Amino acid sequence: MDLDKQYRNMVGHLLPYGPAWNKSEPILLSLALTLSNTHARLDDLMQEVNPKTTTELIDRYEQICGLPDSCYPSEFQTLTIRRNRLDSKINLVGGISKDFFLQVLKANGYTDATITNYNNDIFTCESTCDDYLYDEEWRFYWIVNIPHNYQITDMTCNDECDSSLRKWGDKQIECIIDKLCPSHTYVIFKYGVTNA
């Protein structure tokens, strides 16, 4: 049974008994139509509560959350991208762990990215000859490894002679990670590698 019919039945049942009232009175039918339209509109507004499904209130949500920010230029965003960014901004729990940053990378489409830390990789006289030459300062550095040649563009014969031989990088994910990383650390991004 559709919503209009349900409200017509409900309004009809609210009438007192007797021949004075007709259930098909135009004023009663318009009241039922108004109630069903209000009900449908409330159902629509319930979708606006969730940032993943909002349409009408997305501009207001973005204004409250400070979006679009420098990581997401406003001219290149679809509604889906705007919803996902809004959802991640509102529901971001935060953290400084490796798992947190892997979740951020996954939420932005890099499901197979890895992170390399240099906390315990200090080179000493007891290190083997194939160990990396990292000193104590490297404990403040970490690397985001983005595999499978994402965002790598090689120069072709159709490019200008002053073009770069190779370009790489995703400014958007680099901006997001740089904003979220602890202030005492430095992030290095490596593209096209599985692990550093």
Side-chain angles (χ1 to χ4, degrees):
M1 187 182 293
D2 68 343
L3 210 51
D4 290 340
K5 197 177 273 188
Q6 287 178 357
Y7 274 105
R8 274 189 301 233
N9 287 340
M10 283 191 268
V11 169
H13 288 300
L14 291 173
L15 294 175
Y17 294 107
W21 294 96
N22 183 359
K23 290 184 179 183
S24 61
E25 187 72 34
I27 194 162
L28 295 176
L29 295 177
S30 67
L31 175 64
L33 182 63
T34 301
L35 290 171
S36 71
N37 287 343
T38 304
H39 185 130
R41 184 70 182 127
L42 288 172
D43 286 345
D44 291 341
L45 287 176
M46 288 306 292
Q47 296 297 313
E48 297 297 315
V49 173
N50 185 354
K52 290 285 268 182
T53 58
T54 187
T55 302
E56 295 177 44
L57 295 178
I58 193 161
D59 291 330
R60 180 71 177 132
Y61 275 130
E62 285 179 334
Q63 182 184 11
I64 290 168
C65 293
L67 293 174
D69 58 8
S70 58
C71 295
Y72 286 89
S74 58
E75 60 269 6
F76 300 114
Q77 292 187 19
T78 64
L79 182 61
T80 305
I81 291 172
R82 290 172 68 192
R83 285 176 177 166
N84 289 340
R85 180 66 177 137
L86 182 64
D87 181 54
S88 68
K89 181 101 176 196
I90 288 175
N91 296 318
L92 185 68
V93 176
I96 57 172
S97 69
K98 191 182 215 179
D99 290 334
F100 167 71
F101 287 103
L102 288 173
Q103 288 175 354
V104 170
L105 287 162
K106 185 183 280 187
N108 285 280
Y110 294 103
T111 56
D112 47 1
T114 59
I115 293 177
T116 304
N117 287 328
Y118 296 101
N119 295 342
N120 301 319
D121 290 342
I122 299 170
F123 191 84
T124 63
C125 60
E126 296 173 0
S127 299
T128 61
C129 60
D130 59 348
D131 285 344
Y132 291 108
L133 296 173
Y134 298 119
D135 62 7
E136 195 168 327
E137 186 179 313
W138 275 89
R139 65 187 168 143
F140 300 113
Y141 287 82
W142 50 289
I143 296 177
V144 175
N145 305 299
I146 299 176
H148 304 302
N149 296 330
Y150 285 125
Q151 306 291 337
I152 294 179
T153 308
D154 290 321
M155 181 182 186
T156 64
C157 57
N158 295 329
D159 289 334
E160 298 292 325
C161 63
D162 59 349
S163 297
S164 302
L165 294 175
R166 178 180 263 188
K167 294 179 187 174
W168 62 86
D170 182 351
K171 299 296 181 202
Q172 185 173 325
I173 194 63
E174 290 179 19
C175 178
I176 293 168
I177 296 293
D178 282 336
K179 277 189 173 190
L180 295 173
C181 77
S183 60
H184 67 284
T185 64
Y186 304 95
V187 184
I188 301 169
F189 293 89
K190 286 192 175 181
Y191 293 88
V193 293
T194 311
N195 215 338

